[in-house]
């Protein structure tokens, strides 16, 4: 099993051995009598009147491993769990619906945010939680009881206080009911006030010294960075361009790229930093962070021409193709924080080891840039972090800056080769639709700005994997593992994939992708839309019924599915002339109006959709022979223009109206559409450039 290097395989396997989840497989040899989430387990709890111990985590989670080592592998602890509870283990990446519901319930009960591992105790009758927490230690410490002591107390409380358990369950249900009562408006916000308020709130929380938002632990928050970059672009041609918004973007991206959150040797970003300086990460690498960040670095390079941004986007894409893409196209989910049972071991270095690898001539400059001439920064070893600017070190050593950059690149290559011989972190090799969509979009955006055909090929390969393996009879599946597509897809799967295909079509037009996009949009409307109040539920109308059906509006680690759905549906509606999609997008924004008003900066994906509702996207349709339209496409796509979509559609394609009316001939012809209004045919490249200059 990938993803866990120290599990005990001497123990007879439990029911999790049949699971496709690498995380559940990690626990398949625990002495705990684990069940996956299934009707049989729930029925057992009801029949025996034992509370359910629900444990939710994921394969790359360091503290999940710690709790497993301390408690779930301990026969004495397992005996208490097996005697007092029905124990259910859930992979939060396969079942984000369960995770969302019980994380919300945890916050209600404990009055603070949750996390992983999530440990919840449920009433077997109605599956409502009556107690919960996250990580619990095996011995009393940090003001917490031991896990076994806690188990005894919880079981006793459940037996002796059933009336109180029932009252608490009713209170939780009432809170869920209030959460479900959307503060909808009759129409979306009518002006850009929320966009300005979000920008100001992000500025108030901005770290002026190290970039990013808030204090440690610090997460990259790519959706917030994207909102600020779009905000700057919206003001760029005004009398007062918002250069402060651009500064917040570029400083954050620079600090992320130079810090230890970024893998300086192998490329790619870890999940978050444990300090304010982006120096020491929590070492797990998640696909869902890297797709949006890759797109942002490529876009920032298009804006600033800073070679650092181009290098980071390129190296991140190289890492994904090298380590995270399956031979048949899909992208794997994550790399573990641990290897050989130790967090970060794969990534850190001994100073003498680096000196020996690089040699006495190359070592001093590398050490000066990456901190090896300073005290160790991670448990007696060095995790590479850019402490000094290469330009400053080049001046100090009196060498040309380009020469030093070449030396550093060569040194990083040597360290990467040496690192390949280490015991690798476990890789969670399940393929998740939503996360693949984020990376497909990231690869496609970077391919366009960096002119990297291999990135486009990678995105195409992954998109075809999803379309052919995870899409059938108008429905999407959420996960692929061991040759099996599983779990009815969630809102994020449909919305993110629709967004990715709309982006991918800009780089390579395929009729089957347009059909796929309209199928995804129809699925959103048929199975996820709240037809009464607008907006979209997280689960489909025929999915398993849980104690709550979430309608997530705010961005979390991933952008809001409602926000991405609203923006993508509107874009597709304008492209193919289908007012159903435009109406659904407008209703979603109206349904979210209250939430946006209350805390706009927490709803950046919805704000992107609102921005394009207030000023509909500019869609450029170029018809003609591909060899001749390529230059036109490059000219229209050259700048960072997030409100512009450019499609080069070969002649002879069967197209829906109004696209079919935009015909071409032997020479390229362009149509520039803003919302539902399109220009006359543009027949020269210079005229197209003039038309686009007026609007960019």
């Amino acid at each position: 099993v990938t993803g866990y290097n120290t599990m005990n395989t001497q123990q007879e396997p439990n029911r999790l051995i049949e699971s496709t989840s690498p995380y559940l497989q990690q626990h398949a040899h625990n002495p705990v009598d684990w069940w996956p989430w299934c009707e049989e387990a729930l029925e057992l709890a009801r029949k025996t009147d034992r509370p359910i111990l629900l444990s939710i985590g994921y394969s790359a989670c360091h503290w999940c491993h710690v709790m497993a080592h301390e408690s779930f592998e301990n026969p004495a602890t397992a005996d208490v769990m097996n005697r007092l509870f029905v124990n259910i283990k859930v992979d939060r990446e396969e079942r984000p619906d369960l995770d969302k519901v019980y994380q919300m319930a945890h916050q209600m009960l404990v009055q603070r945010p949750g996390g992983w591992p999530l440990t919840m105790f449920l009433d077997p009758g109605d599956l409502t939680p009556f107690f919960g927490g996250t990580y619990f230690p095996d011995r009393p410490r940090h003001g917490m009881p031991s896990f076994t002591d806690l188990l005894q107390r919880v079981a006793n409380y459940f037996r002796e206080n059933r009336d109180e358990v029932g009252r608490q369950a009713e209170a939780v249900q009432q809170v869920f009911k209030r959460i479900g009562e959307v503060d909808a408006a009759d129409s979306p916000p009518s002006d850009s006030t929320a966009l300005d308020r979000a920008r100001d709130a992000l500025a108030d929380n901005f770290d002026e010294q190290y970039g990013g938002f808030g204090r440690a632990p610090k997460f990259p928050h790519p959706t917030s960075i994207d909102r600020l970059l779009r905000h700057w672009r919206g003001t760029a041609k005004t009398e007062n361009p918002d250069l402060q918004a651009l500064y917040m973007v570029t400083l954050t991206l620079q600090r992320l790229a130079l810090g230890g959150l970024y893998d300086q040797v192998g490329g790619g970003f870890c999940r978050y930093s444990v300090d304010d300086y982006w120096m020491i990460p929590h070492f797990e690498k998640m696909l869902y962070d890297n797709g949006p960040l890759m797109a942002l670095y490529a876009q920032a390079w298009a804006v600033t021409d800073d070679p650092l941004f181009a290098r980071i986007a390129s190296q991140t894409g190289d890492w994904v193709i090298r380590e995270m893409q399956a031979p048949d196209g899909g992208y794997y989910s994550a790399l573990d924080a641990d290897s050989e049972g130790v967090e970060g071991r794969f990534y850190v270095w001994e100073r003498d080891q680096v000196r020996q690898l690089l040699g006495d001539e190359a070592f001093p400059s590398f050490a000066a840039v990456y901190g090896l001439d300073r005290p160790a920064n991670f448990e007696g070893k060095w995790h590479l972090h850019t402490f000094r600017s290469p330009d400053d070190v080049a001046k100090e050593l009196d060498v040309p800056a380009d020469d030093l950059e070449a030396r550093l690149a060569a040194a990083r290559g040597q360290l990467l080769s040496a690192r390949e011989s280490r015991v690798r972190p476990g890789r969670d090799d399940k393929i998740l639709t939503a996360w693949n969509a984020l990376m497909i979009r990231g690869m496609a955006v970077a391919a366009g700005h960096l002119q990297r055909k291999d990135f486009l090929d990678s995105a195409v390969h992954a998109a075809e994997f999803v379309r052919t393996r995870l899409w059938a009879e108008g429905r999407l599946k959420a996960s692929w593992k061991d040759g099996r597509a599983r779990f009815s897809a969630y809102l994020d799967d449909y919305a993110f994939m629709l967004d990715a295909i709309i982006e991918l079509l800009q780089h390579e037009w395929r009729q089957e992708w347009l059909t796929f996009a309209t199928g995804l949009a129809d699925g959103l409307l048929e199975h996820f839309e709240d037809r009464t109040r607008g907006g979209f539920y997280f689960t489909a109308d025929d999915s398993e019924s849980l104690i709550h059906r979430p309608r997530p509006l705010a961005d979390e680690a991933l952008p809001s599915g409602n926000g991405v759905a609203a923006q993508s549906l509107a874009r597709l509606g304008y492209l193919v002339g289908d007012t159903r999609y435009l109406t659904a997008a407008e209703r979603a924004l109206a349904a979210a109006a209250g939430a946006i008003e209350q805390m706009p900066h927490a709803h950046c994906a919805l704000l992107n959709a609102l921005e394009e509702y207030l000023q509909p996207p500019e869609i450029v349709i170029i018809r003609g022979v591909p060899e001749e339209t390529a230059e036109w496409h490059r000219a229209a796509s050259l700048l960072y223009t997030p409100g512009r979509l450019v499609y080069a559609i070969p002649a002879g394609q069967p197209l829906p109206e109004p696209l079919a009316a935009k015909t071409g001939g032997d020479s390229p012809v362009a149509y520039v559409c803003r919302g539902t209004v399109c220009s006359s045919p543009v027949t020269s490249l210079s005229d197209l450039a003039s038309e686009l200059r007026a609007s960019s």
Side-chain angles (χ1 to χ4, degrees):
V1 176
T2 60
Y4 199 30
N5 300 306
T6 56
M7 70 180 183
N8 173 22
T9 56
Q10 304 302 311
Q11 175 75 31
E12 283 295 312
N14 56 47
R15 296 173 191 84
L16 302 185
I17 198 68
E18 301 297 326
S19 171
T20 55
S21 161
Y23 174 63
L24 268 57
Q25 287 277 341
Q26 289 172 1
H27 295 269
H29 292 271
N30 293 166
V32 178
D33 185 21
W34 288 117
W35 289 83
W37 182 276
C38 61
E39 182 54 39
E40 190 178 358
L42 304 181
E43 179 61 25
L44 175 65
R46 287 190 289 267
K47 280 186 176 179
T48 59
D49 197 32
R50 278 186 288 164
I52 292 168
L53 192 165
L54 176 64
S55 177
I56 303 179
Y58 59 103
S59 71
C61 167
H62 171 69
W63 286 103
C64 299
H65 299 338
V66 172
M67 192 166 178
H69 290 319
E70 291 179 347
S71 296
F72 303 149
E73 294 175 0
N74 185 320
T77 304
D79 180 66
V80 176
M81 293 172 66
N82 295 339
R83 183 162 40 85
L84 298 177
F85 300 94
V86 172
N87 303 289
I88 297 180
K89 178 62 78 171
V90 166
D91 183 338
R92 66 108 173 176
E93 296 167 358
E94 285 190 339
R95 293 298 305 267
D97 54 337
L98 288 167
D99 186 55
K100 280 186 184 295
V101 167
Y102 288 107
Q103 292 284 357
M104 292 168 66
H106 172 274
Q107 188 155 355
M108 292 177 209
L109 293 172
V110 185
Q111 296 298 301
R112 62 174 180 270
W116 302 278
L118 182 68
T119 309
M120 300 296 284
F121 298 90
L122 316 184
D123 186 317
D126 58 12
L127 307 181
T128 305
F130 61 90
F131 184 75
T134 52
Y135 161 78
F136 291 105
D138 57 339
R139 296 184 302 277
R141 57 179 180 267
H142 309 308
M144 292 188 288
S146 72
F147 188 51
T148 49
D149 186 30
L150 178 80
L151 294 172
Q152 297 279 5
R153 293 188 200 179
V154 169
N156 290 339
Y157 177 81
F158 177 77
R159 285 197 306 271
E160 297 169 7
N161 299 274
R162 298 302 287 270
D163 290 344
E164 179 60 29
V165 168
R167 284 192 293 271
Q168 186 163 297
E170 185 176 346
V172 169
Q173 289 286 3
Q174 287 299 316
V175 175
F176 273 135
K177 183 179 179 182
R178 287 198 298 273
I179 291 173
E181 293 171 351
V182 176
D183 186 14
D186 294 332
S187 61
S190 59
D191 59 34
S192 61
T193 302
L195 307 181
D196 298 332
R197 289 178 55 220
R199 178 258 184 237
D200 292 343
L202 291 171
D204 289 344
N205 202 30
F206 180 65
D207 184 335
E208 291 280 356
Q209 188 169 5
Y210 299 108
F213 309 96
R215 303 297 302 273
K218 287 177 76 171
F219 292 79
H221 294 299
T223 311
S224 299
I225 303 171
D226 177 56
R227 174 86 297 272
L228 287 171
L229 189 59
R230 289 180 64 112
H231 190 89
W232 163 78
R233 189 65 181 82
T235 68
K237 292 193 70 175
T238 67
E239 292 183 1
N240 297 299
D242 192 345
L243 298 180
Q244 175 66 16
L246 182 60
Y247 170 76
M248 288 189 276
V249 169
T250 55
L251 179 66
T252 299
L253 293 179
Q254 286 166 357
R255 293 293 191 177
L256 287 171
L258 298 174
L261 190 80
Y262 183 71
D263 180 356
Q264 300 293 335
V265 169
F269 291 87
C270 298
R271 184 164 169 254
Y272 67 86
S273 171
V274 301
D275 52 60
D276 289 336
Y277 330 111
W278 307 109
M279 185 188 298
I280 302 301
H282 191 48
F283 285 89
E284 63 203 48
K285 285 184 179 179
M286 315 300 292
L287 189 71
Y288 65 73
D289 291 314
N290 283 278
L293 285 169
M294 186 178 171
L296 279 168
Y297 276 93
Q299 291 166 335
W301 177 76
V303 168
T304 66
D305 210 26
D306 185 335
L308 172 66
F309 296 152
R311 175 168 71 84
I312 298 303
S314 291
Q315 290 176 344
T316 301
D318 291 340
W319 163 69
V320 170
I321 293 172
R322 183 178 69 245
E323 298 188 25
M324 302 299 288
Q325 188 158 28
D328 47 4
Y331 297 116
Y332 300 131
S333 295
L335 295 183
D336 207 322
D338 299 6
S339 55
E340 301 180 88
V342 179
E343 184 179 15
R345 173 172 285 187
F346 182 74
Y347 298 99
V348 299
W349 299 89
E350 299 278 2
R351 179 158 50 197
D352 290 343
Q353 180 189 19
V354 176
R355 180 184 287 110
Q356 184 176 359
L357 285 167
L358 300 185
D360 291 338
E361 183 178 352
F363 177 77
S365 58
F366 188 87
V369 171
Y370 290 109
L372 290 160
D373 59 349
R374 298 167 183 254
N377 63 353
F378 185 74
E379 299 179 357
K381 297 185 179 182
W382 281 261
H383 178 56
L384 300 185
H385 177 284
T386 310
F387 282 88
R388 294 186 61 193
S389 155
D391 286 347
D392 290 346
V393 174
K395 290 175 185 174
E396 182 178 288
L397 299 177
D398 194 25
V399 299
D402 288 347
D403 288 357
L404 182 61
E405 285 287 359
R407 286 190 210 172
L408 294 174
R412 291 192 299 264
Q414 288 176 272
L415 295 188
L416 179 61
S417 296
R419 200 173 75 177
E420 289 299 300
S421 64
R422 297 180 179 179
V423 176
R424 299 187 60 80
R427 181 173 62 195
D428 188 321
D429 59 355
K430 68 179 179 292
I431 294 168
L432 297 171
T433 299
W435 298 12
N436 268 249
L438 293 172
M439 183 52 68
I440 290 166
R441 179 185 175 275
M443 281 283 183
V445 170
H449 286 302
L450 303 176
Q451 296 298 294
R452 287 284 301 261
K453 186 177 183 302
D454 56 335
F455 288 177
L456 181 58
D457 291 343
S458 172
V460 167
H461 203 190
E464 281 300 282
F465 179 91
V466 174
R467 189 181 69 84
T468 58
R469 309 289 180 86
L470 289 155
W471 174 254
E473 298 179 354
R475 299 301 294 271
L476 199 57
K477 293 290 188 182
S479 178
W480 176 277
K481 180 73 168 64
D482 298 336
R484 295 166 59 193
R486 299 191 65 202
F487 305 107
S488 295
Y490 309 101
L491 170 62
D492 290 357
D493 299 298
Y494 281 83
F496 296 176
M497 187 54 63
L498 176 57
D499 184 37
I501 296 300
I502 289 172
E503 177 65 39
L504 199 55
L505 279 165
Q506 295 189 74
H507 303 273
E508 182 175 328
W509 184 274
R510 294 190 182 186
Q511 190 61 35
E512 61 268 28
W513 289 348
L514 182 62
T515 302
F516 186 24
T518 56
L520 291 167
D522 291 343
L524 280 169
L525 270 56
E526 182 177 353
H527 298 291
F528 293 87
E529 189 180 17
D530 182 339
R531 295 182 179 87
T532 303
R533 296 168 296 183
F536 300 93
Y537 291 105
F538 188 72
T539 52
D541 54 356
D542 53 359
S543 294
E544 178 184 358
S545 179
L546 303 178
I547 61 173
H548 176 61
R549 191 181 180 196
R551 304 170 77 258
L553 300 175
D555 305 311
E556 298 175 352
L558 304 180
S560 157
N562 266 278
V564 176
Q567 182 182 41
S568 301
L569 284 167
R571 288 180 162 196
L572 184 65
Y574 285 122
L575 179 64
V576 302
D578 194 325
T579 58
R580 293 180 304 137
Y581 305 150
L582 297 172
T583 299
E586 183 175 346
R587 294 180 74 241
L589 287 170
I596 292 172
E597 170 65 25
Q598 186 174 13
M599 195 176 290
H601 65 284
H603 300 86
C604 289
L606 277 161
L607 293 182
N608 290 347
L610 174 61
E611 185 176 53
E612 294 190 7
Y613 170 77
L614 297 172
Q615 185 172 341
E618 180 180 70
I619 299 180
V620 181
I621 306 295
I622 305 170
R623 303 301 309 273
V625 179
E627 294 76 14
E628 297 185 13
T629 58
E631 185 180 359
W632 289 46
H633 188 280
R634 277 195 300 273
S637 308
L638 188 61
L639 300 176
Y640 167 69
T641 47
R644 176 185 297 164
L645 311 177
V646 183
Y647 297 98
I649 306 176
Q653 293 277 338
L655 298 171
E657 292 292 347
L659 279 178
K662 296 173 177 60
T663 56
D666 296 333
S667 300
V669 178
Y671 301 82
V672 180
C673 303
R674 296 177 181 92
T676 57
V677 179
C678 295
S679 71
S680 301
V682 180
T683 56
S684 77
L685 182 55
S686 61
D687 287 346
L688 177 62
S690 298
E691 176 93 17
L692 297 179
R693 264 196 305 272
S695 61
S696 22

